[in-house]
């Protein structure tokens, strides 16, 4: 059985004092490899490497950086199927879905290829006599990314293409549940010509994360994961005076109004709830039916969901794979049980789901629970599995109020034919990313991604323009050049323009 190490200073390494974790094939439910879990000593070493690499990389020209980024883009594109295969083998999602996440990550690389344009400063000529002002942005230093299991390629790619394009060095601490995609990506950076030490992969768990958060030479931390850990990362990194953005969990609602096309809604809700077995931070996990005409939406989705082919993500006609671990499967099934015990009705029930030939796999079948209320655990908890809760209200304002009372604010969607209702909804909800007849409104790479409330701690959303701002800091230069200054007297009062 293979051991997955770290990628530090251009080399794949395992250290004597690493502890070992287990990586599973979730479709089989068995251990497929071991992963090294870094000690504090290794963290000190990788930060030293990244700090040294930063000195050189931050002084590289914009055209050098752009050349590396374009080469990296080509390599990721060429090896996309290999990256997707690694994702499927450790995460379990189907290959076409894994390929889709690589594509969305690539779009951030393409955005970062435009870094010469993105880093242009401002210039004001003659703000005072013979005085000009200009501004530019400089990289921060060693930046760290701590990422979740559910998008092992895309979420890291929300971070490092922009950080590196801006002239920083980067340490990626991927999820210990599916680290292989990151290690392949590190080799592609090297092949693309990125100097060793600029991009490093450090495998590990809480011990490595804490050492990174406390290290004085780490300048900035980007985190994506569950809300309790996001809050913890935000607080600890902030206490250590680091720049930090920490994206947390979600409970994404879709509102269905009576004027929506219900066949379209059924198809799209099914895809948004059960794609990637519901393990997406933008998955729809709560559908709010508004009015009598929409009463049966739960039944329609349950009927459609019963036709979803569930199995190993490696098989070409399979549409939904397993969940990530045995603990996840138990947690999701317990929440379905609680929902039913608390009065919800399971229209399709994915508990105890078995896939022939994969009896040990971590499978949960598509589940729709109807007549859910906001007091029930199945609504209050982030399930992060293939479970759609259906709630019923009488009008759109009650639906908006329900969304706003929820502690999360990542994504939300409305299905309607009314521009007025859609506009009221998009202005009224306290949520960062909004879809109008689009159930999973993940912003394109040239916009920024981020939620509100318990879905994001910190000021900056990720990638896009806010990503460039996060990974750089500004300098403003006021300069005076003139032919001769003989006879000029300086005033001791505060400078004003002349
Ligand atoms: P997680 O919070 O368990 O882990 C995320 C990262 O934090 C991992 O790298 C992990 O090693 C590390 N970590 C875990 N526990 C830690 C601890 N006690 N101290 C320090 N570090 C720790 O999340 P997950 O289960 O890997 O991912 C699923 C979660 O991520 C869901 O809640 C999902 O909504 C969220 N998510 C959010 C977004 C978003 O954009 N807001 C995107 C993807 C996933």
């Amino acid at each position: 059985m293979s051991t997955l190490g770290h990628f530090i200073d251009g080399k794949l390494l395992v250290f004597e004092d690493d502890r070992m974790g287990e990586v599973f094939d979730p479709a089989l439910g068995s251990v497929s490899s071991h992963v090294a879990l870094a000690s504090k000593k290794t963290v000190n070493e990788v930060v030293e490497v990244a700090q040294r690499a930063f000195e050189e990389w931050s002084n590289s020209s914009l055209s050098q950086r752009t050349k590396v980024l374009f080469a990296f883009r080509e390599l990721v594109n060429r090896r996309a199927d290999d990256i997707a295969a690694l994702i499927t083998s450790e995460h379990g999602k189907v290959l076409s879905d894994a390929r889709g996440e690589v594509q969305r990550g690539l779009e951030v690389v393409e955005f970062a290829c435009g870094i010469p344009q993105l880093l242009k400063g401002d210039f004001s000529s003659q703000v005072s006599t013979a005085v000009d002002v200009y501004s530019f942005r400089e990289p921060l230093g060693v930046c760290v990314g701590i990422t979740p299991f559910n998008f092992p390629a895309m979420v890291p790619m929300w971070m490092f293409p922009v950080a590196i394009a801006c002239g920083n060095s980067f340490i990626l601490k991927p999820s210990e549940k599916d680290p292989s995609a990151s290690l392949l990506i590190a080799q592609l950076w090297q092949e693309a010509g990125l100097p060793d030490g600029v991009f490093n992969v450090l495998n590990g768990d809480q011990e490595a994360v804490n050492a990174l958060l406390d290290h004085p030479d780490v300048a900035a931390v980007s985190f994506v994961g569950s809300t309790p850990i996001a809050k913890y990362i935000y607080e600890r990194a902030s206490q250590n005076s680091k720049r930090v953005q920490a994206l947390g969990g979600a409970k994404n609602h879709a509102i269905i109004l009576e004027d929506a096309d219900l066949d379209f809604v059924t198809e799209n809700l099914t895809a948004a709830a059960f794609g990637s077995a519901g393990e997406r931070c933008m998955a729809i996990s709560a559908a709010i039916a508004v009015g009598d005409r929409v009463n049966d939406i739960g039944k329609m989705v349950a009927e459609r969901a019963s036709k979803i082919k569930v199995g190993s993500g490696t098989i070409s006609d399979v549409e939904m794979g397993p969940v990530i671990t045995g603990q996840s499967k138990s947690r999701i099934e317990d929440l379905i049980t609680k929902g039913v015990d608390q009065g919800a009705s399971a229209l399709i029930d994915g508990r105890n789901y078995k896939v022939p030939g994969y009896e040990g796999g971590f499978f949960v079948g598509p589940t729709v629970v109807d007549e859910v209320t906001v007091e029930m655990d199945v609504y209050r908890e982030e399930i992060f599995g293939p479970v759609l809760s259906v709630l019923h209200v009488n009008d759109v304002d009650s639906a908006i109020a329900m969304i706003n009372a929820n502690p999360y604010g990542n994504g939300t969607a409305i299905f309607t034919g009314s521009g007025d209702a859609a506009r009221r909804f998009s202005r009224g909800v306290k949520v960062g990313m909004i879809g109008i007849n689009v159930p999973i409104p993940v912003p394109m790479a040239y916009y920024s991604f981020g939620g509100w409330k318990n879905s994001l701690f910190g000021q900056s959303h990720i990638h896009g323009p806010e990503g460039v701002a996060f990974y750089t800091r500004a300098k403003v230069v006021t300069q005076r050049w003139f032919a001769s200054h003989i006879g000029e007297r300086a005033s001791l009062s505060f400078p004003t323009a002349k």
Side-chain angles (χ1 to χ4, degrees), residues 146-151 155 158 173-177 204-206 209-210 223-227 229 232-233 247-250 281 382 384 410 449 455:
I146 302 161
T147 54
F149 79 83
N150 68 320
F151 283 109
V155 167
W158 283 351
K173 205 303 284 171
S175 169
E176 62 276 37
K177 294 182 182 124
D205 56 8
Q206 191 175 6
V209 171
N210 284 342
F223 172 87
V224 176
S226 60
T227 289
I229 310 297
Y232 166 76
I233 300 273
L247 284 69
C281 58
E382 179 190 28
F384 222 57
N410 213 39
F449 179 111
S455 296

Side-chain angles (χ1 to χ4, degrees), residues 41-58:
K41 187 164 157 261
T42 305
V43 170
N44 290 340
E45 280 176 33
V46 69
V47 175
E48 200 184 314
V49 162
Q51 181 64 40
R52 214 179 317 125
F54 169 72
E55 305 302 332
E56 183 195 329
W57 181 245
S58 57

Side-chain angles (χ1 to χ4, degrees), residues 174-189:
S175 169
E176 62 276 37
K177 294 182 182 124
D178 46 15
S180 289
S182 299
L183 293 170
L184 174 53
I185 285 168
Q187 290 168 50
L188 300 183
W189 269 124

Side-chain angles (χ1 to χ4, degrees), residues 144 193 254 263 269 381:
V144 162
D263 291 332
L269 264 188
E381 299 281 321

Side-chain angles (χ1 to χ4, degrees), residues 166-244:
C166 290
N168 299 284
S169 57
F170 200 88
I171 301 169
L172 172 63
K173 205 303 284 171
S175 169
E176 62 276 37
K177 294 182 182 124
D178 46 15
S180 289
S182 299
L183 293 170
L184 174 53
I185 285 168
Q187 290 168 50
L188 300 183
W189 269 124
Q190 190 175 44
E191 228 178 291
L194 188 71
D196 289 345
V198 177
F199 179 75
N200 306 278
V201 177
L202 179 83
N203 279 311
D205 56 8
Q206 191 175 6
E207 181 178 347
V209 171
N210 284 342
L212 287 166
L213 297 177
D214 293 344
H215 199 294
D217 290 339
V218 168
V221 177
S222 301
F223 172 87
V224 176
S226 60
T227 289
I229 310 297
K231 192 159 186 284
Y232 166 76
I233 300 273
Y234 177 72
E235 287 171 359
R236 188 150 172 171
S238 304
Q239 264 165 14
N240 289 328
S241 306
K242 299 186 192 317
R243 196 173 278 207
V244 51

Side-chain angles (χ1 to χ4, degrees), residues 355-371:
V355 175
Y358 294 86
E359 283 75 12
F362 308 136
F363 291 98
V364 181
T367 301
V368 177
V369 276
D370 205 347
E371 309 297 338

Side-chain angles (χ1 to χ4, degrees), residues 365-491:
T367 301
V368 177
V369 276
D370 205 347
E371 309 297 338
V372 171
T373 62
V374 293
E375 294 80 26
M376 293 179 186
D377 292 310
V378 71
Y379 175 78
R380 288 183 24 252
E381 299 281 321
E382 179 190 28
I383 304 177
F384 222 57
V387 182
L388 179 69
S389 298
V390 182
L391 303 97
H392 297 263
V393 298
N394 292 327
D395 55 69
V396 69
D397 289 333
S398 307
I400 291 173
M402 186 184 284
I403 293 170
N404 288 346
N406 191 280
Y408 297 106
N410 213 39
T412 186
I414 188 168
F415 290 100
T416 181
S418 158
D420 175 50
R423 189 166 184 276
R424 204 139 50 90
F425 170 74
S426 59
R427 288 181 58 80
V429 286
K430 295 186 172 70
V431 176
M433 293 169 285
I434 295 162
I436 296 168
N437 297 316
V438 174
I440 304 197
V442 175
M444 297 302 288
Y446 35 91
Y447 286 82
S448 299
F449 179 111
W452 285 21
K453 301 191 279 184
N454 282 355
S455 296
L456 186 142
F457 302 90
Q459 288 70 45
S460 301
H461 289 194
I462 214 159
H463 69 64
E466 293 197 30
V468 176
F470 181 79
Y471 289 121
T472 54
R473 58 188 152 200
K475 274 184 175 167
V476 181
V477 180
T478 305
Q479 66 175 10
R480 176 153 53 193
W481 292 111
F482 43 85
S484 158
H485 60 264
I486 297 163
E488 168 103 351
R489 287 182 68 98
S491 163

Side-chain angles (χ1 to χ4, degrees), residues 57 68 79 114 274 311 320 456:
W57 181 245
V68 172
R79 300 290 301 277
F274 306 121
M320 193 182 110
L456 186 142

